[in-house]
Amino acid sequence: EARDQFFREATVLARLDHPNLPKVSDFFSINDRDYLVMDYVPGRDLRTLMLDAKTKGEFLPESQVLNWANQLASALTYLHQQDPPVLHRDIKPSNLKVTPSGLLKLVDFGLVKILAPGEVTITVLQGQGTALYTPLEQYGGEIGHTDIRSDIYAFGSTLYHLLANEPPADARERFLNPEALIPPREINPDINLRTERAILWAM
């Protein structure tokens, strides 16, 4: 069953071709191990860049974060427009790398899901994402029902963290206390009002 899941995932990833996604060029099995061959992505991840800024007592420039957001939005639009749509399910700063030329790459497709017809989701590889960036419907493994909105939520949470240097209140905390989410401009007043609206809408 695990091997069937691996081949399903690998087949999906191998047909994807987008500048903001690493290209999968091959997949194979040797004995009881499965291998995926994909582009090496040089550069640093956004979590590292954010922590560097925080150490200096600074925020990442909003213009830079929005440039990355634009590239991530392009990748997600491409994934979600596949037939059936492909969900990433683990968007977070450490899964976003910037190459030396400034190209953003969305990496780690270990939780990728294919949306089957009739909105029944097929898990290609098991996983629940990372709690800080995960919407409520993704908690509890297969009981939760995810669709493209789940990636949009994680996208918003990621932008919040990058611009505020603080993670947002997670979905469980917000479910118990709707006031738990502090608007990001209260932490970083330099964030544009339009950007804050977009983040809060996504979440």
Side-chain angles (χ1 to χ4, degrees):
E1 189 180 326
R3 177 149 291 170
D4 286 346
Q5 286 183 344
F6 168 75
F7 280 116
R8 278 205 300 272
E9 179 202 23
T11 303
V12 170
L13 296 182
R15 68 177 161 83
L16 299 177
D17 188 10
H18 188 278
N20 301 113
L21 302 174
K23 184 68 186 152
V24 172
S25 54
D26 199 5
F27 54 93
F28 55 89
S29 299
I30 297 176
N31 300 321
D32 60 347
R33 291 185 183 268
D34 302 317
Y35 297 88
L36 200 60
V37 182
M38 62 169 63
D39 288 347
Y40 169 70
V41 180
R44 302 173 79 200
D45 67 69
L46 298 194
R47 180 176 180 274
T48 303
L49 296 175
M50 175 189 63
L51 291 176
D52 284 354
K54 188 174 182 176
T55 301
K56 296 174 191 165
E58 301 169 356
F59 292 103
L60 290 169
E62 183 176 358
S63 59
Q64 181 65 76
V65 174
L66 292 182
N67 174 279
W68 296 331
N70 191 43
Q71 295 185 64
L72 177 56
S74 177
L76 288 178
T77 300
Y78 172 77
L79 289 171
H80 295 166
Q81 286 178 345
Q82 297 300 302
D83 185 21
V86 175
L87 309 184
H88 186 275
R89 294 185 85 226
D90 199 20
I91 295 158
K92 58 184 178 182
S94 59
N95 278 345
L96 295 162
K97 287 188 82 173
V98 184
T99 68
S101 68
L103 189 65
L104 185 87
K105 295 275 189 180
L106 174 59
V107 298
D108 192 0
F109 274 77
L111 304 178
V112 72
K113 288 191 94 170
I114 306 163
L115 268 188
E119 289 198 326
V120 178
T121 53
I122 302 166
T123 304
V124 179
L125 283 183
Q126 303 293 336
Q128 295 173 30
T130 304
L132 277 177
Y133 313 97
T134 301
L136 204 58
E137 68 271 14
Q138 226 171 292
Y139 282 88
E142 294 315 296
I143 300 164
H145 175 83
T146 54
D147 61 26
I148 63 174
R149 292 171 295 181
S150 308
D151 277 351
I152 294 169
Y153 180 97
F155 184 7
S157 299
T158 294
L159 291 185
Y160 183 113
H161 201 170
L162 291 173
L163 288 167
N165 281 355
E166 299 288 340
D170 69 44
R172 276 190 287 203
E173 189 180 344
R174 292 178 60 201
F175 178 74
L176 297 170
N177 174 18
E179 304 303 312
L181 184 66
I182 300 166
R185 276 167 53 90
E186 288 186 20
I187 302 168
N188 177 4
D190 291 336
I191 298 171
N192 187 290
L193 183 60
R194 225 173 84 169
T195 303
E196 180 184 70
R197 280 197 199 120
I199 289 169
L200 296 176
W201 173 84
M203 297 183 69

